[in-house]
């Protein structure tokens, strides 16, 4: 009997082992199938990327990004973060039942979060942040009962947080920031006492913070900035001893947050940011006892009372913002900030501080980069001690009572980018030493009592964009060097001074100028003809001077003008009819000597926006102008004048035509004579090298592969050196059908165009006297930084500002080709590989092998509909239906290029299939989720290294987002399916320039108000 019992036990044990092994094998197979299903919905942007190892050659536990447990060989972790993946998350992920970690963050995943994840009851960490996921948070996630970290930040999720998630009692951290989530957050999470991190900034959450937050005794971070939370901040929040970071910026919290005798127990607190709320009551004195603070921000609230500040014990203070609070008291407390050895930002502007600045500012932290005390009542002289703050980048002291002169020592602040001393009582001259500031981009000295002339030394400030010197007593002439130097101004305001002489002739160098105001001075002479080249000009004011002569015809190119005031001068001549075509909002031509008929269209028809009073020889116009009717005899005089002109013009035209016919005949005769000569070389410009085939062989080391720059359909490009000059040599593939036609088209275009953003052709080499076949080559100016395509898809290291400049450069080239060239040209093949970058990263459009000329404005020549019209992905959709090449087609290509420039994704990316394309991908992200689609390499590139303080970083980040939205918006508008819906190129240029202004400049109105 005992023997039988032992046998039975052995059989049962064996059965259990067999069953267990069978179960394990089944689970392993389930994991494999799930991984294969996941792979089918992912796209790997890299040829040798993470998914390359996901094949049958190795066990799936050895696949890249897959981690299995040692005991059962089941998948426990999926680590695919920052792998360049796109596509969707397969619902089969819910079959990986042993998973404890999902890390898919920092990719380009789109679509919904699969609710099947809720099956993973072992899951502890779910990281999906920084993708482009949409839809609502699945309520099924409540099934992940062991979840500790839930990170869904930086996506496009919307809707309320499911109430079911309140049952995840093990949650330690939630990260929901940068989505579109709504509803009362704390109603869901208020009972999860294990929470340590609540990060939900930049959403649309509502409701209040409940008193029960006191039960979350482990809380270390509460970050709720940029939401719609309201009500009082519960006092219990200030007694969470574990709290280190509290950021409630930009909500609707109100009321008194603490009484002066209240006990505060925040021993760990290092960040306290309550900016931009509606907090009232006495200034919260207990906050001044939190001496471990690194960041303190209380600005834009409504605290009352006078406070005696003492920061001597705040040794770690990095960022201080007490601006816009109507605080009172003597500014002398600022001396206590000398003990804050790490301080980088001081913001005390828009209060009622009085007194004088002590010389001890020289003892502030050498790390200080931002100092703002604008709009107070501080007087006395500006301390020369500022010169010891060698890292100071931003100095704002506008709107005070400062007297005396501007210290010469400020010229030693080599890192200074913005200096604003506007609206004080400063006297003396503008120091020449300010010309020593290489980074200075904004200089505001308006509304003072400065005298003397404008120092030409300011022309050395090569980055100067904004210059405000209005409302002073400046005299003398304008130094030509100021406008002819390397500075590219956006705004210049010299109004209300005593300046004299002529307006600068070098103003034509300022092609980016948006505002130019020299009103109320003593300028004379004529309007500078070169101003017509400043096509970005929006505001031009010269009223109250002694300018004479007529309005130059070149001003017809100033189509961006919004306000124009030429009043109270001595201008004469007829009124330009082209003003009727501008989008002017204000035109003042009053009190001059204009004559003749006033046009009746456009701005001239808007009686509330135009003024022509005080011009006694004007007539006509709309009735509301109350001008006399133009006399009919004037028309007779015009006809007689026209008759005389015709009598003189017709013989001249006949003579010119005759000369042209003779010249053409001589040219054709010479061409016939030299057709078979050896070898024929044509230099495109005088003084440019003439080259032969043998010279090209030597220059390129016999067209060595080491000098190969690239190869296209019709030609191969080599690097070469001719007489120490680096050139690019494009050798035509004459065996390729269409190559000769491409060669002729490119020659014709580049002979007839000159623009800084077009590739410059140097020489054409064409010969048949070789043992080889016919040889044709084009020599171009060498572009050392190669093509935009390589920068986007190989180096990936373009900053946002560089991308904006490139976008504007290309748009300017298109505008020139379409509207400013003598014969309009359609490029027909605009794409990143045809955009070349010089040594200063200026973009040049090249490869005009498919270009088409307009036979006449508004139509293309007959051959324009024949042959290739672009590259797949960039060619306009109407081309596929047989439409002729058009400027609208170029706009489509430009929009696609712009979206690729911002997203880093080619229009032929595998994620774009069927009806889903790059245009739709970008359009769906506008306007709130653009950060989810932009190339991640530009998210923080090129600004965090320059600005260290938190407020400045926040301001910069907001401006960067606005710029990205504008860039993507223009790309979407230009790449619309229907040609008539596409943005015009001049509108694109205007929008992009405005966006660039926001990126590189602090909005002055924000600083002052």
């Amino acid at each position: 009997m005992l023997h039988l019992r032992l046998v039975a036990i052995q059989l049962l044990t064996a059965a259990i082992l067999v069953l267990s092994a069978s179960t394990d094998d089944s689970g392993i197979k389930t994991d494999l199938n799930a991984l294969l299903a996941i792979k089918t919905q992912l796209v790997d942007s890299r040829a040798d990327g993470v998914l390359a190892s996901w094949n049958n050659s190795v066990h799936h536990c050895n696949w890249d990004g897959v981690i299995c447990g040692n005991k059962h060989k089941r998948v426990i972790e999926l680590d695919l973060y920052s792998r360049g993946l796109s596509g969707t998350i397969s619902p089969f992920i819910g079959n990986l039942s042993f998973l404890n970690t999902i890390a898919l963050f920092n990719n380009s995943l789109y679509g919904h979060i699969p609710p099947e994840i809720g099956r993973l009851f072992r899951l502890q960490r779910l990281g999906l942040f920084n993708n482009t996921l949409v839809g609502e948070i699945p309520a099924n996630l409540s099934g992940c009962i062991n979840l500790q970290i839930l990170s869904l930040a930086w996506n496009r999720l919307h809707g309320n947080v499911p109430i079911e998630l309140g049952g995840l009692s093990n949650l330690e951290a939630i990260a929901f920031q940068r989505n579109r989530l709504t509803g009362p957050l704390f109603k869901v999470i208020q009972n999860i006492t294990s929470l340590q991190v609540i990060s939900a900034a930049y959403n649309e959450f509502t409701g209040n913070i409940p008193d029960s937050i006191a039960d979350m005794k482990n809380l270390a971070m509460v970050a709720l900035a940029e939401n719609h939370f309201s009500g009082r901040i519960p006092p219990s929040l200030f007694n969470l001893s574990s709290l280190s970071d509290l950021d409630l910026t930009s909500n609707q919290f109100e009321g008194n947050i603490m009484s002066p005798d209240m006990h505060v127990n925040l021993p760990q607190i290092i960040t306290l940011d309550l900016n931009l709320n509606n907090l009232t009551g006495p200034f919260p004195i207990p906050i001044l006892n939190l001496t471990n603070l690194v960041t303190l921000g209380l600005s834009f609230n409504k605290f009352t009372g006078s406070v005696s500040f003492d920061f001597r014990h705040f040794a770690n203070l990095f960022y201080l913002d007490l601006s816009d609070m109507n605080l009172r008291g003597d500014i002398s407390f600022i001396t206590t900030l000398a003990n804050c050895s790490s301080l980088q930002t001081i913001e005390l502007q828009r209060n009622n501080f009085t007194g004088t600045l002590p010389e001890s500012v020289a003892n502030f932290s050498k790390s200080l980069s931002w100092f703002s005390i604008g709009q107070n009542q501080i007087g006395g002289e500006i301390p020369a001690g500022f010169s010891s703050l060698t890292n100071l980048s931003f100095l704002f002291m506008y709107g005070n009572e400062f007297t005396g002169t501007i210290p010469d020592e400020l010229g030693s602040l080599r890192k200074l980018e913005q200096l604003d001393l506007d609206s004080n009582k400063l006297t003396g001259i503008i120091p020449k030493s300010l010309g020593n500031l290489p980074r200075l981009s904004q200089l505001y000295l308006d509304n003072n009592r400065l005298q003397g002339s404008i120092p030409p030394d300011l022309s050395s400030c090569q980055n100067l964009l904004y210059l405000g010197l209005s409302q002073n007593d400046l005299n003398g002439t304008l130094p030509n060097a100021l406008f002819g130097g390397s500075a590219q101004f956006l705004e210049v305001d010299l109004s209300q001074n005593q300046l004299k002489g002529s307006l600068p002739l070098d103003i034509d160098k300022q092609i980016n100028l948006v505002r130019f105001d020299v009103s109320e001075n003593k300028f004379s002479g004529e309007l500078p003809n070169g101003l017509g080249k400043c096509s970005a000009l929006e505001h031009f004011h010269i009223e109250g001077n002694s300018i004479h002569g007529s309005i130059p015809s070149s001003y017809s190119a100033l189509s961006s003008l919004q306000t124009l005031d030429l009043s109270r001068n001595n201008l004469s001549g007829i009124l330009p009819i082209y003003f009727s075509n501008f989008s002017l909002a204000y035109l003042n031509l009053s009190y001059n000597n204009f004559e003749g008929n006033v046009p009746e269209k456009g701005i001239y028809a808007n009686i509330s926006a135009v003024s022509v009073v005080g011009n006694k020889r004007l007539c006509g116009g709309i009735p509301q102008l109350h001008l006399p009717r133009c006399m009919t005899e004037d028309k007779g005089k015009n006809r007689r004048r026209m008759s005389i002109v015709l009598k003189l013009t017709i013989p001249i035209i006949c003579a010119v035509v005759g000369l042209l016919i003779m010249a053409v005949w001589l040219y054709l005769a010479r061409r016939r004579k030299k057709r078979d000569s050896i070898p024929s070389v044509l230099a495109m410009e005088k003084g440019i090298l003439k080259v032969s085939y043998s010279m090209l062989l030597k220059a390129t080391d016999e067209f060595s592969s080491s000098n190969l720059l690239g190869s296209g359909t019709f030609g191969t490009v080599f690097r070469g050196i001719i007489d120490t000059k680096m050139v690019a040599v494009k050798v035509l593939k004459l065996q390729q059908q269409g190559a000769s036609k491409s060669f002729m088209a490119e020659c014709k275009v580049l002979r007839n165009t000159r623009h800084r953003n077009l590739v410059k052709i140097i020489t054409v080499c064409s010969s048949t006297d070789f043992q080889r076949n016919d040889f044709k080559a084009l020599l171009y100016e060498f572009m050392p930084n190669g093509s935009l395509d390589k920068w986007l898809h190989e180096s990936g290291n373009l900053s946002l500002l560089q991308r904006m400049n490139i976008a504007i450069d290309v748009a300017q080239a298109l505008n020139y080709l379409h509207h400013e060239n003598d014969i309009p040209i359609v490029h027909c093949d605009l794409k990143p590989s045809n955009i070349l970058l010089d040594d200063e990263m200026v973009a040049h459009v090249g490869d005009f092998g498919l270009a088409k000329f307009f036979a006449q404005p508004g139509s293309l020549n007959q051959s324009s509909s024949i042959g290739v019209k672009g590259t797949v992905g960039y060619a306009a959709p109407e081309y596929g239906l047989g439409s002729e090449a058009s400027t609208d087609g170029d706009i489509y290509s430009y929009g696609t290029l712009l979206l690729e420039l911002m997203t880093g994704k080619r229009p032929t990316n595998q994620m774009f299939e069927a009806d889903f394309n790059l245009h739709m991908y970008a359009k769906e992200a506008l306007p709130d989720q653009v950060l989810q689609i932009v190339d991640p390499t530009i998210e923080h590139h090129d600004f965090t290294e320059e600005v260290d303080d938190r407020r400045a970083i926040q301001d910069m980040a907001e401006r960067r987002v606005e710029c990205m939205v504008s860039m993507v918006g223009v790309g979407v508008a230009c790449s619309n399916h229907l040609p008539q819906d596409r943005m015009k190129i001049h509108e694109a240029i205007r929008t992009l320039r405005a966006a660039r202004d926001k990126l590189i400049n602090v909005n002055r109105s924000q600083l002052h108000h």
Side-chain angles (χ1 to χ4, degrees):
M1 181 66 70
L2 179 60
H3 175 72
L4 291 174
R5 186 177 299 173
L6 290 173
V7 171
I9 291 173
Q10 290 173 352
L11 290 173
L12 179 60
T13 302
I16 292 172
L17 290 174
V18 170
L19 180 62
S20 176
S22 175
T23 302
D24 287 348
D25 289 344
S26 175
I28 292 172
K29 186 175 181 180
T30 299
D31 285 357
L32 174 60
N33 291 334
L35 291 172
L36 292 174
I38 290 169
K39 179 183 179 180
T40 63
Q41 292 187 219
L42 296 178
V43 178
D44 199 332
S45 63
R46 306 162 189 169
D48 58 346
V50 62
L51 298 182
S53 68
W54 288 34
N55 56 64
N56 293 327
S57 62
V58 294
H59 191 277
H60 65 265
C61 287
N62 295 320
W63 290 356
D64 194 2
V66 177
I67 300 173
C68 295
N70 292 327
K71 183 177 181 180
H72 299 294
K73 298 300 180 183
R74 299 295 302 275
V75 178
I76 60 173
E77 293 186 25
L78 202 57
D79 290 335
L80 298 175
Y81 62 90
S82 302
R83 298 300 188 101
L85 297 174
S86 60
T88 60
I89 304 173
S90 170
F92 283 93
I93 197 170
N95 289 355
L96 298 172
S97 56
F98 275 67
L99 271 182
N100 61 48
T101 299
I102 298 176
L104 295 172
F105 52 88
N106 285 339
N107 284 294
S108 299
L109 303 176
Y110 52 92
H112 293 74
I113 299 173
E116 288 79 4
I117 291 177
R119 302 174 188 167
L120 305 175
F121 67 92
R122 293 182 174 89
L123 195 65
Q124 298 175 18
R125 293 169 292 276
L126 177 58
L128 303 177
F129 66 88
N130 199 17
N131 282 286
T132 56
L133 300 172
V134 297
E136 298 185 353
I137 299 174
N140 303 49
L141 293 184
S142 61
C144 304
I145 57 176
N146 289 296
L147 199 61
Q148 298 173 9
I149 298 174
L150 176 59
S151 182
L152 307 177
W154 294 84
N155 278 288
R156 297 160 58 184
L157 303 172
H158 64 265
N160 292 2
V161 178
I163 195 69
E164 291 85 352
L165 298 192
L168 296 175
S169 57
N170 293 307
L171 268 183
E172 297 176 2
I174 56 172
F176 294 154
Q177 69 267 27
R178 296 282 183 180
N179 280 286
R180 302 174 185 172
L181 299 171
T182 56
L185 175 64
F186 280 92
K187 186 177 179 180
V188 178
I189 66 172
Q190 60 186 349
N191 294 322
I192 308 178
T193 57
S194 57
L195 276 172
Q196 298 176 30
V197 174
I198 302 173
S199 182
Y202 296 93
N203 279 286
E204 299 174 19
F205 287 121
T206 57
N208 57 14
I209 300 176
D211 291 328
S212 61
I213 198 171
D215 298 330
M216 298 181 182
K217 299 187 181 301
N218 297 313
L219 269 181
M221 173 186 285
V222 178
L224 306 176
E226 297 285 347
N227 278 285
H228 304 301
F229 290 106
S230 58
R232 293 192 61 202
I233 301 174
S236 57
L237 186 58
F238 295 96
N239 281 296
L240 291 173
S241 59
S242 59
L243 194 63
S244 63
D245 293 88
L246 177 61
D247 187 354
L248 306 180
T249 299
S250 193
N251 279 283
Q252 298 163 20
F253 292 113
E254 58 189 11
N256 183 7
I257 58 174
M258 58 181 71
S259 59
D261 58 350
M262 175 181 169
H263 177 67
V264 175
N265 182 27
L266 295 173
Q268 308 295 327
I269 194 78
I270 59 173
T271 297
L272 179 59
D273 202 335
L274 307 178
N275 293 326
L276 293 159
N277 280 285
N278 297 314
L279 302 174
T280 57
F283 184 89
I285 297 295
I287 286 177
L288 300 180
N289 297 324
L290 304 177
T291 54
N292 288 325
L293 281 174
V294 173
T295 294
L296 175 59
L298 302 173
S299 66
F300 288 95
N301 283 291
K302 302 173 183 177
F303 297 123
T304 58
S306 180
V307 184
S308 178
F309 295 102
D310 187 346
F311 294 101
R312 284 176 295 180
H313 303 294
F314 286 72
N316 300 318
L317 195 61
F318 175 91
Y319 170 88
L320 175 66
D321 188 355
L322 301 178
S323 59
D324 296 271
M325 291 199 296
N326 203 29
L327 296 173
R328 302 190 303 275
D330 196 293
I331 195 64
S332 60
F333 76 84
I334 206 169
T335 58
T336 66
L337 290 172
N339 284 28
C340 306
S341 58
S342 301
L343 195 59
Q344 292 198 13
T345 297
I346 300 175
E347 295 206 52
L348 302 172
Q349 67 272 18
R350 291 184 290 274
N351 283 292
N352 291 307
F353 293 125
T354 57
T356 61
L357 277 182
E359 284 290 339
S360 61
V361 297
N363 299 325
F364 284 168
S365 164
K366 301 307 182 204
S367 300
L368 192 69
S369 65
W370 183 293
F371 183 78
S372 179
I373 56 171
Q375 288 195 352
N376 281 283
Q377 299 171 31
I378 304 168
E381 296 190 355
I382 297 174
F386 276 113
S387 61
S388 67
L389 306 178
T390 53
N391 283 298
L392 198 61
S393 298
F394 305 91
L395 180 57
F396 305 114
M397 304 173 71
Y398 56 88
N400 280 286
E401 304 288 332
F402 287 111
T403 58
T405 61
I406 300 172
D408 279 332
E409 290 82 356
L410 294 183
S412 65
L413 297 175
R414 301 281 294 176
K415 293 186 178 181
L416 198 63
E417 297 179 27
Q418 296 180 28
L419 175 61
D420 194 340
L421 304 177
D422 181 9
S423 300
N424 282 284
K425 298 178 181 179
L426 298 170
T427 56
I429 63 172
I430 300 172
K432 296 180 180 180
S433 62
L434 297 184
N436 298 328
L437 304 177
R439 296 188 182 183
L440 192 66
S441 64
Q442 299 187 33
L443 176 61
Y444 297 113
L445 306 177
D446 315 74
N447 195 16
N448 281 285
R449 300 170 184 173
L450 300 173
Q451 299 174 324
S453 58
I454 298 174
D457 307 72
L458 291 180
S459 63
S460 299
C461 300
Q462 59 187 12
N463 289 306
L464 195 57
L465 300 172
Y466 289 81
L467 178 62
L469 304 177
S470 66
Q471 300 180 66
N472 281 288
D473 294 317
L474 299 173
N475 54 47
T477 60
L478 272 182
N480 269 325
L482 188 62
F483 297 94
S486 57
Q488 285 291 302
F489 289 109
L490 295 176
E491 290 190 10
V492 175
D493 188 351
L494 308 177
S495 61
Q496 299 184 53
N497 280 286
Q498 306 295 321
L499 299 169
K500 61 183 180 181
S502 300
L503 294 178
L505 296 177
D506 285 337
I507 194 71
D508 63 338
K509 306 273 180 64
Q510 300 299 316
I511 59 174
N512 297 321
L513 194 62
V514 174
R515 182 182 185 87
F516 187 50
D517 190 341
V518 292
S519 60
E520 308 300 340
N521 278 283
K522 298 180 179 180
F523 287 113
S524 56
E526 297 186 346
L527 289 171
N529 187 64
L531 190 70
K533 296 183 180 179
C534 303
S535 58
L537 193 64
E538 295 179 1
H539 307 281
F540 181 30
H541 291 256
I542 63 163
E543 65 267 24
N545 283 282
S546 300
I547 306 295
H548 64 266
S550 60
I551 300 174
S553 60
S554 63
Y555 287 16
S556 62
L558 300 178
S559 58
S560 297
L561 275 177
Q562 296 178 18
T563 64
L564 176 62
D565 195 333
L566 308 179
S567 64
R568 292 180 288 118
N569 280 283
N570 298 315
L571 294 166
S572 57
I574 62 173
L575 299 184
I577 193 169
Y578 53 76
F579 284 164
S580 302
N581 301 322
F582 291 0
S583 300
L584 281 164
Y586 176 74
L587 175 63
N588 192 347
L589 304 170
S590 59
Y591 298 101
N592 280 286
N593 298 313
F594 292 117
E595 61 180 292
N597 189 19
V598 177
E600 299 181 18
K601 295 181 179 180
I603 185 66
Y604 292 112
N606 187 349
I607 188 61
S608 64
V610 67
S611 176
V612 295
V613 299
N615 290 278
K616 298 180 180 179
R617 301 174 67 184
L618 287 178
C619 62
I622 60 175
Q624 294 89 333
L625 293 176
H626 303 294
L627 295 173
R629 294 180 60 184
C630 295
M631 303 301 292
T632 55
E633 55 264 29
D634 289 342
K635 297 180 180 179
K637 291 179 181 178
N638 289 337
R639 284 195 294 268
R640 287 193 295 273
R641 189 179 297 116
M642 182 61 70
S643 177
I644 294 172
V645 170
L646 287 174
K647 289 178 181 178
L648 293 173
T649 302
I650 290 173
I652 294 173
I653 290 175
C654 291
V656 170
V657 170
L659 289 172
L660 285 174
I661 292 172
M662 184 178 293
V664 169
W665 182 85
L666 289 172
Y667 169 74
L668 292 175
R670 180 177 298 177
R671 184 175 180 182
R672 283 192 298 270
K673 181 178 180 181
K674 293 188 175 183
R675 183 168 50 196
D676 299 323
S677 63
I678 55 167
S680 64
V681 179
L682 172 64
M684 298 297 296
E685 300 178 13
K686 290 183 179 179
I688 299 300
L689 295 170
K690 293 186 176 182
V691 298
S692 65
Y693 177 69
S694 59
M695 291 174 66
L696 292 183
L697 279 177
K698 182 179 179 181
T700 61
D701 193 18
E702 297 187 349
F703 302 110
S704 167
S705 59
S706 62
N707 285 320
L708 180 65
L709 295 176
S711 182
T713 304
F714 299 126
T716 305
V717 184
F718 296 89
R719 181 194 299 109
I721 299 177
I722 299 179
D723 288 352
T724 72
K725 180 181 179 65
M726 185 73 77
V727 295
V729 182
K730 181 177 181 179
V731 179
L732 271 294
K733 300 176 181 177
L734 294 178
Q735 72 278 10
Q736 177 70 38
Q737 184 178 0
S740 293
K741 185 176 180 181
S742 169
F743 173 79
M744 296 303 296
E746 195 149 18
C747 289
K748 185 177 181 183
V749 169
L750 295 176
R751 279 196 189 104
N752 290 278
T753 56
R754 291 291 184 272
H755 191 273
R756 70 185 293 267
N757 295 124
L758 297 180
V759 171
K760 293 181 177 62
I761 190 170
I762 298 174
T763 302
V764 173
C765 179
S766 177
S767 178
T768 58
D769 191 34
F770 302 110
Q771 293 180 353
R772 52 173 287 156
N773 293 331
D774 286 1
F775 174 84
K776 295 183 186 297
L778 296 164
L779 271 69
Y780 300 99
E781 179 183 15
F782 180 69
M783 295 291 161
N785 275 315
S787 74
L788 175 59
D789 188 85
K790 290 183 178 179
W791 281 86
L792 287 179
H793 302 295
E794 294 181 18
S795 69
N797 197 30
L798 286 172
S799 70
L800 177 57
L801 181 57
Q802 286 174 320
R803 294 176 199 236
M804 299 192 78
N805 286 334
I806 290 169
I808 293 171
D809 288 342
V810 176
Q812 289 176 159
L814 276 188
N815 187 57
Y816 172 80
L817 292 170
H818 293 174
H819 304 295
E820 296 178 357
N821 193 42
D822 293 337
I823 305 175
I825 297 169
V826 181
H827 186 278
C828 292
D829 198 19
L830 198 66
K831 57 185 178 182
S833 60
N834 288 340
I835 308 301
L836 302 178
L837 304 172
D838 64 18
D839 54 353
E840 296 181 351
M841 295 300 286
V842 173
H844 302 258
V845 176
D847 199 340
F848 287 84
L850 300 180
K852 309 294 181 184
F853 281 81
F854 277 99
Q856 58 185 17
S859 65
L860 285 165
N861 62 33
Q862 196 61 34
S863 67
S864 64
S865 62
I866 300 173
V868 181
K869 291 191 285 285
T871 301
V872 173
Y874 303 93
E878 62 267 22
Y879 289 173
L881 301 176
S883 296
E884 292 186 345
S886 68
T887 56
D888 289 327
D890 274 0
I891 299 299
Y892 179 89
S893 301
Y894 173 71
T896 304
L897 181 148
L898 192 53
L899 294 180
E900 183 174 351
L901 185 64
M902 288 304 295
T903 65
K905 289 181 168 55
R906 302 184 193 272
T908 54
N909 190 291
Q910 293 180 11
M911 70 179 291
F912 305 127
E913 55 185 15
D915 293 331
F916 186 64
N917 57 24
L918 179 58
H919 169 85
M920 295 178 63
Y921 174 68
K923 187 175 181 180
E924 288 180 1
L926 288 171
D928 299 328
Q929 299 299 316
V930 164
L931 281 178
Q932 312 308 317
I933 68 166
V934 296
D935 186 343
T937 65
I938 64 171
E939 186 178 334
H940 297 293
H941 183 71
D942 88 322
F943 98 96
T944 51
E945 296 177 0
E946 300 174 6
V947 184
D948 295 326
D949 65 90
R950 187 169 176 271
R951 179 63 178 270
I953 288 175
Q954 182 178 343
D955 290 345
M956 178 67 83
E958 291 172 356
R959 281 182 281 137
R960 285 170 58 83
V961 172
E962 290 181 25
C963 294
M964 291 178 186
V965 170
S966 294
M967 288 271 282
V968 174
V970 171
V972 168
C974 289
S975 58
N976 277 315
H977 185 79
L978 297 177
Q980 61 268 29
D981 293 340
R982 293 170 196 158
M983 179 181 277
K984 302 301 181 186
I985 195 63
H986 69 274
E987 295 175 5
I989 294 172
R990 184 183 304 174
T991 303
L992 293 174
R993 282 174 174 165
R996 182 175 62 183
D997 294 350
K998 290 182 180 179
L999 179 65
I1000 58 181
N1001 300 285
V1002 175
N1003 187 298
R1004 196 168 180 222
S1005 65
Q1006 290 178 347
L1007 291 176
H1008 284 223
H1009 302 289

